[in-house]
Amino acid sequence: ALGHQTVPAGGGREALELARTQAFDLILLDIQMPGMSGLEVLQTLRAAGGPNRTARVLAVTADELSHDHDGYLSLGFAGHVSKPIQVACLAAEIDRVLKAAENASAAA
């Protein structure tokens, strides 16, 4: 609906398999996924080689009590979206993260 191409994964391990073989502009990871948490997937992506080692990753979570937005940034996520997902909030966070990536590339 937002004009982006998406590739769904059924859990953390499947997300990692997809990320090992296909480059993504942005990855959305639910913090509580079957098999591996979103944080475990992020840490594995960062530690491994491959096309998404430095990919921008958004944390998606309903757990607002454990970390605020800055807490997710400090864990290595590029941004954070709360559940239940509000489409306008999701679109704004995607735009913010992708624009920040463009600005970083232009500055380099």
Side-chain angles (χ1 to χ4, degrees):
L2 299 176
H4 301 286
Q5 258 186 327
T6 61
V7 178
R13 285 182 177 48
E14 185 179 349
L16 270 179
E17 286 303 315
L18 290 166
R20 285 185 181 130
T21 60
Q22 186 174 350
F24 294 100
D25 295 326
L26 181 68
I27 298 172
L28 279 70
L29 290 176
D30 197 318
I31 294 302
Q32 296 183 12
M33 292 187 291
M36 295 178 80
S37 73
L39 181 57
E40 290 171 318
V41 172
L42 176 66
Q43 291 169 337
T44 303
L45 275 176
R46 297 294 186 243
N52 294 292
R53 183 169 181 236
T54 61
R56 277 114 188 117
V57 180
L58 287 182
V60 179
T61 183
D63 183 10
E64 285 297 314
L65 300 177
S66 65
H67 294 283
D68 58 82
H69 184 80
D70 291 336
Y72 284 103
L73 297 180
S74 72
L75 292 171
F77 290 94
H80 170 258
V81 179
S82 299
K83 290 197 265 182
I85 300 285
Q86 303 284 325
V87 175
C89 292
L90 174 62
E93 189 67 351
I94 289 171
D95 287 344
R96 184 192 70 76
V97 169
L98 292 178
K99 284 182 182 160
E102 289 174 15
N103 292 339
S105 293

